[in-house]
Amino acid sequence: MSSTVSSFGTFDGLYAQLLTLRAPLLPPGKATDPKLTDKISSLYIHPTLEAAFHLLNCDLPSAHFLVRHMQAAPMFEAMYLHGILHRIEGDYDNARAWYGNVADTEVFKKNWSSKEKGLEFVGKVEALNKKREGDKKALEKESVEEIKTVIDHCVEKFGSGQVQDASVAWVQPEEAHRKMGQEMVSGGKGFRDF
């Protein structure tokens, strides 16, 4: 991996630091280390990588802002991260929908041998969160490995260097999807209250 250098450090250095934080598995409430939000953003890396770094820091609002700009083909990596984000926040039905949307993509298949395996993982995390059933340490490890695999894929595809204009990665959702998203954000029909 080549390192992007910013005033806050390198891609590799920040990535290594993020991997020392608590695993992004269950709803965090807030970012693990709020000071890292600016450090991550200041790398000016591809928005999928930035979103994945925010997920490793459990900074779901920052990650969600980014993936919402990339929630349609051909940005399957961001669509997958969107599913991971909803899994972490505890919106398991939404996570399952996003996992289902990307189940046939290269990035998803690097983690899971089938759609069912990915959905099984979501189910295990849900059982841990809602019923306190399962091996938390094993699921935390699997959660981190899932995100690391997406990061490795994105570095291979997009590189870890600076991106001067992140809007090149933005995609426009279809009208029906855009309206549904708007209703979720401002119409009171979503899982979260903003």
Side-chain angles (χ1 to χ4, degrees):
M1 245 183 268
S2 68
S3 284
T4 296
V5 179
S6 78
S7 60
F8 290 109
T10 66
F11 177 93
D12 294 334
L14 190 52
Y15 187 21
Q17 183 179 358
L18 288 164
L19 292 174
T20 67
L21 302 177
R22 71 177 157 86
L25 181 68
L26 300 175
K30 62 178 185 164
T32 302
D33 185 346
K35 293 178 283 187
L36 291 178
T37 297
D38 190 39
K39 290 181 180 184
I40 293 167
S41 298
S42 294
L43 287 176
Y44 298 107
I45 53 180
H46 192 277
T48 55
L49 288 165
E50 183 179 339
F53 275 24
H54 287 304
L55 289 178
L56 286 174
N57 189 32
C58 294
D59 183 352
L60 302 186
S62 294
H64 204 242
F65 172 81
L66 292 165
V67 297
R68 285 193 48 111
H69 289 291
M70 302 176 286
Q71 59 186 14
M75 292 306 300
F76 300 111
E77 298 81 10
M79 293 169 65
Y80 185 18
L81 289 170
H82 205 153
I84 293 171
L85 179 148
H86 287 298
R87 174 184 55 74
I88 295 167
E89 80 174 347
D91 184 357
Y92 303 108
D93 289 337
N94 207 345
R96 287 183 187 95
W98 283 107
Y99 275 52
N101 287 341
V102 298
D104 291 329
T105 65
E106 179 184 3
V107 65
F108 187 85
K109 289 178 179 179
K110 286 183 176 183
N111 269 308
W112 308 110
S113 59
S114 68
K115 175 182 173 180
E116 292 73 27
K117 290 290 186 188
L119 296 177
E120 180 182 320
F121 177 63
V122 174
K124 287 179 181 179
V125 174
E126 182 176 23
L128 178 68
N129 190 27
K130 292 182 176 178
K131 302 175 187 172
R132 300 295 178 231
E133 296 175 359
D135 183 344
K136 184 177 181 184
K137 289 286 184 205
L139 292 172
E140 286 175 338
K141 182 178 179 187
E142 200 164 1
S143 179
V144 170
E145 288 303 315
E146 182 181 34
I147 297 169
K148 283 173 59 177
T149 300
V150 176
I151 290 172
D152 291 345
H153 174 86
C154 290
V155 166
E156 186 178 299
K157 184 172 180 177
F158 306 116
S160 63
Q162 289 190 343
V163 174
Q164 297 304 314
D165 181 9
S167 69
V168 298
W170 298 162
V171 293
Q172 295 299 318
E174 296 175 3
E175 182 60 21
H177 194 191
R178 188 198 62 74
K179 282 180 110 174
M180 181 176 61
Q182 186 62 34
E183 287 176 358
M184 290 177 78
V185 171
S186 61
K189 296 184 179 182
F191 179 74
R192 294 168 308 287
D193 291 321
F194 289 91

